[in-house]
Amino acid sequence: MTKERYLEKSKEAKKRGLQKFTDSEFLDRLLKQDKIGNNDLNKLTSKQLILFNDFFAKNYNEAKDEAKDQLLNKVIDSLPEKKRNQIWEVNHCNIMNAIMDYVETCGAMPTKSRIAEYTGLSRPTIDKHLKEFQNNPLFKGIDEQFKFMIPKVMGEVLRQSIKGDIRAARLFLEYAGGTKGQSRIKNQNNFIQINGIELTEEKISKLRPEQLQTIEAVLQSLD
């Protein structure tokens, strides 16, 4: 018998030994461990792995505050990157929705305790997320999506300006270069297209103050 075959048979024997436990006994034994890693999951049968994943998903979604943290910390080493990313994204959306709803209702920023109450997350989790989210690659992806939409939004702002919306005109001028000709442009790849003519940020940034004032005068005359 080759060494590889021997190791394979030993692994199968260990899995058969685990099958002697009932489902509840198996989960109890596993969850009593301080940490659950990949080595622990590799010893499970396919059925037991499904049971464990179902148990974690159900209990993690229902857990609140510190209990949620404790369960996640127990299994974090065994979670694939995709699952960790999903948890981060859900937390980010829940925190953002909590802030938005509170601001709309109360007209002020919520405390971290309020956010915790709304989301079911613990204070330490919220603290950590708010301090570190800008450095997370997932957030940088979200930020790029917002930047991608800037030309579309500013195109609509300019169209509303031409129709006579003075507030839209002021917003467009502020974005384009400011009413005093001071450029506030940061993104060099965005542009607005009007009747086949591309109005790029680079072109706007090169306009002289008197040229920007001419554009402002044209837009203001529509009011």
Side-chain angles (χ1 to χ4, degrees), residues 6-217:
Y6 173 79
L7 293 174
E8 183 179 348
K9 281 186 170 293
S10 297
K11 187 175 181 179
E12 290 175 353
K14 289 180 180 178
K15 288 188 175 183
R16 285 195 299 271
L18 286 172
Q19 287 178 314
K20 295 178 181 179
F21 296 102
T22 65
D23 293 342
S24 60
E25 289 173 337
F26 141 71
L27 286 174
D28 286 343
R29 284 170 59 90
L30 191 60
L31 293 171
K32 284 179 180 178
Q33 298 178 193
D34 293 332
K35 283 282 190 177
I36 299 174
N38 287 322
N39 290 337
D40 298 306
L41 298 187
N42 289 337
K43 298 175 183 178
L44 306 181
T45 64
S46 297
K47 179 182 178 182
Q48 290 171 337
L49 186 59
I50 292 173
L51 290 171
F52 172 76
N53 288 334
D54 289 345
F55 175 87
F56 170 75
K58 179 178 182 297
N59 284 270
Y60 182 76
N61 290 334
E62 294 177 353
K64 303 292 183 182
D65 302 325
E66 284 74 15
K68 201 177 193 75
D69 289 347
Q70 290 172 3
L71 181 57
L72 181 59
N73 290 335
K74 183 185 290 288
V75 303
I76 191 68
D77 293 338
S78 66
L79 294 181
E81 184 179 2
K82 181 179 179 180
K83 184 63 177 178
R84 298 187 194 188
N85 290 344
Q86 288 175 344
I87 292 174
W88 187 93
E89 289 171 340
V90 170
N91 287 350
H92 187 77
C93 288
N94 287 339
I95 292 172
M96 185 167 56
N97 289 337
I99 295 173
M100 290 174 60
D101 286 352
Y102 192 88
V103 169
E104 290 179 1
T105 303
C106 303
M109 290 296 290
T111 63
K112 292 176 183 177
S113 296
R114 290 289 187 183
I115 298 175
E117 182 181 346
Y118 183 100
T119 61
L121 299 172
S122 68
R123 277 288 300 268
T125 294
I126 293 169
D127 284 336
K128 185 174 186 296
H129 192 93
L130 293 176
K131 290 177 181 177
E132 301 176 1
F133 77 94
Q134 288 185 321
N135 297 323
N136 192 296
L138 296 176
F139 174 76
K140 293 179 180 179
I142 296 173
D143 191 43
E144 288 300 321
Q145 293 176 18
F146 279 109
K147 291 179 181 178
F148 181 79
M149 293 301 296
I150 288 176
K152 176 70 174 176
V153 173
M154 293 311 300
E156 182 60 30
V157 169
L158 182 57
R159 278 189 285 271
Q160 294 301 319
S161 300
I162 294 173
K163 291 179 181 179
D165 189 331
I166 191 62
R167 288 182 298 178
R170 287 173 179 167
L171 176 60
F172 174 75
L173 288 171
E174 182 181 359
Y175 172 80
T179 56
K180 295 182 179 179
Q182 298 176 347
S183 176
R184 298 176 60 177
I185 300 169
K186 295 182 179 178
N187 300 309
Q188 295 298 319
N189 297 321
N190 297 321
F191 65 89
I192 299 169
Q193 191 172 44
I194 307 172
N195 294 331
I197 301 175
E198 290 185 358
L199 182 61
T200 66
E201 294 180 344
E202 182 178 1
K203 290 179 180 178
I204 295 173
S205 66
K206 292 179 179 179
L207 293 177
R208 297 188 300 276
E210 58 268 24
Q211 291 174 317
L212 286 171
Q213 290 172 3
T214 299
I215 295 175
E216 180 182 4

